[in-house]
Amino acid sequence: MLRGAANGDRAAAERMTLAVLAGLLLLVAVVAIGVGPSGLSPDRVVALLAAGPGTDRFPVSESIIVWQIRLPRVLMGAIIGAALAVAGATLQGLFRNPLADPGLVGVSPGAALAAVAVIVLGNGILAPLVQPLGIFALPIAAFVGALLSTFLLYTIATRGGRTSVATLLLAGIALGAFSGAITGFFLFLSDDDQLRDITFWTLGGLGGTTWLKLFACGPIMLAAVLASPVLARGLNALTLGESEAFHLGLEVQRMKTLAIVLVAGAVGASVAAAGIIGFVGIIVPHLLRLAVGADHRFLLPGSALLGAALLVLADALARTVAAPAELPIGIITAAIGAPFFLWLLLRRRGLLGV
Amino acid sequence: MKIHQIFGMIGLAFGLIAASPSFADEGSDPQRIVSVGGAVTEIVYALGHGDAIVGVDSTSTYPPEARAKPDVGYMRQLSAEGVIALQPDLLLIEQGSGPAEALSLLKASGVPVITVPSGHEAGALRSKIATVAEALGEEEAGAELGQTVMDELASLKADLEAIEDRKRVLFILSLADGRPTAGGSGTGADAMIEMAGGLNVFADVEGYKRLSSESVATLRPEVIVMMDRGTAAEHGSTDPFAIPALAASPAGEAEALIRMDALFLLGFGPRTPAAARELAAKLYPERIEAGSSESASQ
């Protein structure tokens, strides 16, 4: 009886948390559309939104700020934040490792290698490939690089139809080091401008967001986020251990494949859209685990909402604090996230079981 | 949101990018200029329009007044809304500025965007000046400034012709962590050494690269050129001759070290002829006269 009541309490707390997080996301999104360096008043923003895109009732520059700059950025920020946080939660569950992040399954190193290759060699030997793609060369390369390197890693770790998580982890480290070496060689070849491009790219940013990018990358991430709850029961069972999960009747192999496909798609698309944005995937799931609980049925949707809110907030700050310039968003996600995370960690020491 | 609205928005986005109104009517007198690129900003000031500048990028550090202007960030990471917020009626950007998405949004929002060519050769200097002058409606003053730059460079070249024994020069970009990074071919430093009549001993390498200690012995630099970044010591060490390999080079034995202000030396704007002459005068003190006091003032 007592146990049932505790479960009921927890379920209620989880529902409550999800509702609060959804409210938080909505609030942050509204504020983010309302603020920016150009100082349009909130009622002006509302009027511009109501008037629709391409209105002639307002100056074209104001319409562009709201419809072509802020709105796509807020939507993109929300989708990327959700995708990164869900990817992080999924990987931490899959690897049963609190430090798991997309780098481990080859996504970020592969994307970085491809992106740096395009930046450095785009005017040289890769020109025939890069020039026709124009500004889409970098995102496409990052996406393809992420998927290829994840596929390679998955193939290495899979023998006789079974994927070994341990092999995946270790091969991921080796492959990451190898990609890092090649990336380093491209860095050696790069000139000053390219070097700065690379540095900024690895800190991420939503500055280049357009509707086109949103419609190209958004659906992949959205699909991954919406499909992730399918994994929740499996990830819960996996916390007991792989063979235990298998004996519970879980199709462990299918789950691993699905999880890796989801993560590669979601993170690959996010890297293509906004470069490498660190920390969201690590911190958001842990925050929720510490605050509410580790049940993946709650953790996955909760991570999506909190990740979205955190990134939209971080982007709003990135656009405003250094105005008229813009800070790389990776600085802000880590600067907000890390101290808060430490505080929670110190308060609830010992609860960080994954 | 209905699906046709979504498509309408995509269509609008394309339409805006495609339309790109370029109504920078020449001869106008822009009142709110955002100037991106160190050389571009110098030219705007040289043509007397510095007061109309309402924003600069982080590479615009000369003249000192430019530093007081709002900073729109690094030239390749411009923020569309940040620039629009300054309400410019002219956006001057050095070639290579970006990102492309921000530039197309700026063009779509009706800001006239003029791209100023980049480059290190004398001809490139002249077309930089001409482009900026045209955008400011100062064609005559621009042509004059361009001609002065060409004349000064030509006269320096004539002065240098008599010198047969060219100095072997090594440009060191940084000494961070005791590991020198030197300027190879294709760099601004290489172009400047060439203009000043020196021989870049690192020209076999392309770009700015780490210099291996052993190769210094074969490069045999007679003079080291470095940028003077003011009083702040960069990463602890600013003395190239603290590195044994460089101390043992001909430059180290003669303690031949030339330091010049970074943007003056490598800005490739209107002050470049003066910078080239100053460097040449330091390389060949008996042969080349230093420029007028105006150009030497740093």
Side-chain angles (χ1 to χ4, degrees):
Chain A
M1 274 290 60
L2 204 69
R3 210 184 140 162
N7 271 344
D9 282 355
R10 170 164 275 192
E14 287 171 356
R15 273 198 300 277
M16 186 68 186
T17 309
L18 287 184
V20 169
L21 289 177
L24 176 71
L25 172 58
L26 202 65
L27 178 75
V28 169
V30 168
V31 171
I33 292 179
V35 301
S38 49
L40 294 175
S41 64
D43 54 313
R44 187 98 173 157
V45 173
V46 172
L48 279 157
L49 282 173
T55 176
D56 48 14
R57 300 212 324 268
F58 296 96
V60 69
S61 64
E62 291 184 8
S63 177
I64 281 182
I65 287 173
V66 172
W67 280 96
Q68 305 295 335
I69 297 178
R70 290 190 193 169
L71 195 57
R73 281 183 79 150
V74 168
L75 293 175
M76 184 74 108
I79 294 176
I80 290 178
L84 290 175
V86 165
T90 305
L91 286 176
Q92 287 148 23
L94 189 67
F95 286 110
R96 298 193 297 280
N97 182 331
L99 285 175
D101 80 349
L104 272 185
V105 285
V107 185
S108 331
L113 174 57
V116 170
V118 165
I119 292 174
V120 177
L121 305 177
N123 290 322
I125 57 169
L126 289 184
L129 272 173
V130 169
Q131 302 294 358
L133 295 172
I135 59 170
F136 301 110
L138 186 61
I140 291 174
F143 187 63
V144 172
L147 294 195
L148 278 184
S149 100
T150 308
F151 177 74
L152 177 63
L153 200 55
Y154 180 74
T155 313
I156 290 172
T158 307
R159 272 286 149 79
R162 281 202 60 221
T163 307
S164 156
V165 167
T167 311
L168 204 58
L169 202 71
L170 293 173
I173 291 170
L175 206 63
F178 188 67
S179 317
I182 303 176
T183 308
F185 180 67
F186 288 148
L187 286 178
F188 171 76
L189 294 179
S190 67
D191 65 28
D192 284 19
D193 289 349
Q194 293 165 345
L195 209 53
R196 291 190 78 150
D197 284 348
I198 293 165
T199 310
F200 279 113
W201 187 81
T202 55
L203 287 169
L206 293 169
T209 303
T210 56
W211 283 108
L212 186 67
K213 265 195 195 169
L214 184 62
F215 284 102
C217 302
I220 301 170
M221 291 183 270
L222 215 51
V225 170
L226 294 177
S228 66
V230 175
L231 294 169
R233 280 179 180 283
L235 290 172
N236 281 347
L238 261 189
T239 51
L240 301 170
E242 206 169 301
S243 52
E244 286 81 353
F246 179 75
H247 290 301
L248 282 172
L250 191 75
E251 290 186 71
V252 177
Q253 182 57 31
R254 242 187 70 196
M255 210 197 80
K256 282 182 199 162
T257 312
L258 180 61
I260 289 169
V261 168
L262 282 189
V263 169
V267 180
S270 88
V271 170
I276 294 179
I277 300 175
F279 219 64
V280 177
I282 292 263
I283 193 169
V284 169
H286 283 310
L287 275 178
L288 290 172
R289 275 193 203 99
L290 287 167
V292 183
D295 180 349
H296 286 87
R297 284 172 301 178
F298 155 74
L299 192 62
L300 293 171
S303 295
L305 291 171
L306 184 58
L310 176 66
L311 208 63
V312 171
L313 177 67
D315 183 52
L317 288 171
R319 284 185 286 133
T320 45
V321 289
E326 208 170 284
L327 279 182
I329 197 166
I331 296 175
I332 305 200
T333 50
I336 307 177
F340 187 64
F341 186 56
L342 274 178
W343 172 75
L344 202 67
L345 199 59
L346 291 173
R347 266 195 54 194
R348 311 201 59 174
R349 217 182 275 259
L351 286 181
L352 201 69
V354 174
Chain B
M1 186 178 293
K2 290 199 185 67
I3 194 78
H4 71 263
Q5 283 178 308
I6 294 174
F7 281 106
M9 247 149 34
I10 304 177
L12 178 80
F14 278 119
L16 285 172
I17 291 164
S20 306
S22 56
F23 41 81
D25 47 307
E26 276 87 62
S28 68
D29 187 15
Q31 298 301 310
R32 299 184 63 82
I33 304 168
V34 171
S35 172
V36 173
V40 175
T41 304
E42 276 193 43
I43 296 169
V44 175
Y45 271 96
L47 292 172
H49 285 249
D51 287 344
I53 292 181
V54 292
V56 296
D57 75 319
S58 56
T59 64
S60 299
T61 55
Y62 185 90
E65 302 94 278
R67 289 176 195 243
K69 306 277 186 184
D71 182 355
V72 297
Y74 177 52
M75 58 181 276
R76 295 166 78 82
Q77 289 289 324
L78 300 175
S79 144
E81 194 183 344
V83 174
I84 294 176
L86 296 169
Q87 299 176 321
D89 57 7
L90 176 62
L91 174 60
L92 289 170
I93 50 169
E94 193 165 320
Q95 197 177 4
S97 301
E101 292 92 344
L103 294 183
S104 49
L105 283 170
L106 282 162
K107 285 176 189 163
S109 75
V111 180
V113 180
I114 303 286
T115 305
V116 180
S118 60
H120 301 142
E121 312 81 40
L125 285 180
R126 183 183 231 168
S127 54
K128 275 184 209 185
I129 295 171
T131 310
V132 175
E134 195 184 332
L136 297 175
E138 292 278 5
E139 284 88 345
E140 269 179 47
E144 209 172 293
L145 181 61
Q147 195 53 50
T148 313
V149 165
M150 300 299 280
D151 290 349
E152 284 177 17
L153 283 175
S155 93
L156 175 61
K157 200 169 180 183
D159 290 355
L160 285 166
E161 238 149 48
I163 298 170
E164 274 164 20
D165 188 20
R166 297 292 168 105
K167 284 273 171 64
R168 300 176 61 83
V169 180
L170 179 66
F171 177 82
I172 295 184
L173 181 70
S174 93
L175 278 172
D177 211 13
R179 292 179 292 181
T181 299
S185 58
T187 62
D190 184 71
M192 184 44 84
I193 292 170
E194 163 80 33
M195 277 183 192
L199 268 180
N200 184 6
V201 295
F202 205 53
D204 285 345
V205 178
E206 209 180 308
Y208 292 103
K209 295 280 150 66
R210 280 275 156 84
L211 173 70
S212 88
S213 291
E214 280 185 39
S215 65
V216 176
T218 48
L219 295 177
R220 291 179 290 108
E222 294 169 284
V223 179
I224 307 279
V225 176
M226 287 182 70
M227 297 194 295
D228 193 354
R229 291 193 161 114
T231 49
E234 37 172 323
H235 313 295
S237 167
T238 57
D239 179 12
F241 303 132
I243 295 165
L246 288 172
S249 69
E253 279 160 15
E255 298 216 348
L257 171 65
I258 298 173
R259 282 181 195 277
M260 285 173 70
D261 176 78
L263 191 64
F264 181 50
L265 187 65
L266 299 180
F268 292 94
R271 293 184 299 157
T272 289
R277 181 165 283 277
E278 189 177 316
L279 180 57
K282 286 178 174 174
L283 287 176
Y284 310 105
E286 284 94 48
R287 311 289 296 270
I288 303 289
E289 270 180 49
S292 62
S293 59
E294 182 235 0
S295 56
S297 70
Q298 263 308 296

